[in-house]
Amino acid sequence: MSTPAAAEPVRDPGLQPERTRLAWRRTTLSGTVAAVLAIKTALHGGISVTGALVGALCCVLWLGFLALAHRRIRALAASPEPAALAPRQATVTILLTVALAMCGAALLF
Amino acid sequence: MSEFVRNVRLWFAPQEIRQEGGTPDYRFSLANERTFLAWLRTALALIGGGFAVDQFLPDLRWGWRVGLALALLAAGVLCSLRAVNHWVRCERAMRRGEDLPVSRFPAVLSLVVAVVALAMVFVVLVGWEG
């Protein structure tokens, strides 16, 4: 007869995976605010071809951000001791952020 | 500078970082990830601020408006690139059992934000007169 404590994986009392999951949620929220502002800028003063294209690109970037966060959140939930973030995931997150800023710079002119 | 190039290569090479040292306690890696995400939120806030300057200060002269917006966007880009670089360096230091890297970046960013905020105050005051 095994005790329930031995059968179940030890739960981290510091709730590190949960805190990391919530950090990803907060980050997607920040990303959403930035994307909404970007799309507002793109559609400001009537719809032009450039504005619509850049606005659509911002939507795609935002969706990419959500997909990345969702994958990481699922990986965090899958195991009691999740693996570290892969460098490629971190890099892609940064590239999406930089692309959003580039869209902003393009819309200023 | 070559150290930076080496770090940039590590951003794209997940297997290389795993070959070094031993895997640290997963909680340390998650804490490092949360710090990375916090910096990323800072970067997103700066980028959002850039869009907001462009959208919500329409009475400003074109040069000031575009200049401030570009400064905020550039700060956001720098902040996000630095976030991933610092994350890679911390992860590697933890695997090797070294001290965590120190950085001047927080101080520099604070000063830049302070300068941009002062510029905003100045520009809003002058902009309303003109």
Side-chain angles (χ1 to χ4, degrees), chain B residues 3 6-7 10 17 19-24 89-99:
Chain B
E3 175 70 12
R6 220 172 88 72
N7 284 340
L10 276 181
I17 203 167
Q19 282 164 4
E20 290 188 57
T23 306
R89 286 174 67 198
C90 284
E91 201 71 16
R92 207 175 45 190
M94 287 194 295
R95 295 191 75 89
R96 289 175 176 172
E98 293 169 353
D99 287 345

Side-chain angles (χ1 to χ4, degrees), chain A residues 9-30:
Chain A
V10 182
R11 190 173 165 77
D12 173 24
L15 298 176
Q16 303 269 351
E18 286 82 356
R19 281 158 62 190
T20 312
R21 191 189 68 211
L22 290 173
W24 273 102
R25 282 273 173 252
R26 286 199 294 279
T27 309
T28 52
L29 195 60
S30 300

Side-chain angles (χ1 to χ4, degrees), chain B residues 1 5 15 19 35 37-38 108 117 127:
Chain B
M1 198 62 203
V5 172
Q15 64 284 357
Q19 282 164 4
T35 308
L37 290 174
V108 172

Side-chain angles (χ1 to χ4, degrees), chain A residues 48-89:
Chain A
S48 63
V49 177
T50 328
L53 277 178
V54 177
L57 182 61
C58 289
C59 285
V60 170
L61 292 174
W62 178 68
L63 286 176
F65 207 86
L66 283 191
L68 247 168
H70 187 67
R71 255 187 80 186
R72 183 60 186 152
I73 284 169
R74 285 184 66 168
L76 285 170
S79 149
E81 293 195 5
L85 180 69
R88 197 167 289 150
Q89 275 178 307

Side-chain angles (χ1 to χ4, degrees), chain A residues 12 16 19-20 23-24 26-27 37-38 40-41 72 81 84-85 87-88 91 93-94 97 101 104-105 108, chain B residues 10-12 14 26-27 29-30 33-34 37 40-41 44 47-48 51 54-56 70 73 77 80 84 87 91:
Chain A
D12 173 24
Q16 303 269 351
R19 281 158 62 190
T20 312
W24 273 102
R26 286 199 294 279
T27 309
L37 284 170
K40 183 182 183 319
T41 308
R72 183 60 186 152
E81 293 195 5
L85 180 69
R88 197 167 289 150
T91 308
T93 317
I94 292 306
T97 311
L108 286 177
Chain B
L10 276 181
W11 298 359
F12 295 96
Y26 78 99
R27 285 171 292 185
S29 288
L30 290 184
E33 182 177 338
R34 287 198 298 278
L37 290 174
L40 187 59
R41 284 196 295 280
L44 283 168
I47 291 170
F51 285 120
D54 184 46
Q55 282 296 294
F56 301 119
L70 276 182
L73 289 172
V77 167
S80 63
V84 72
W87 175 79
E91 201 71 16

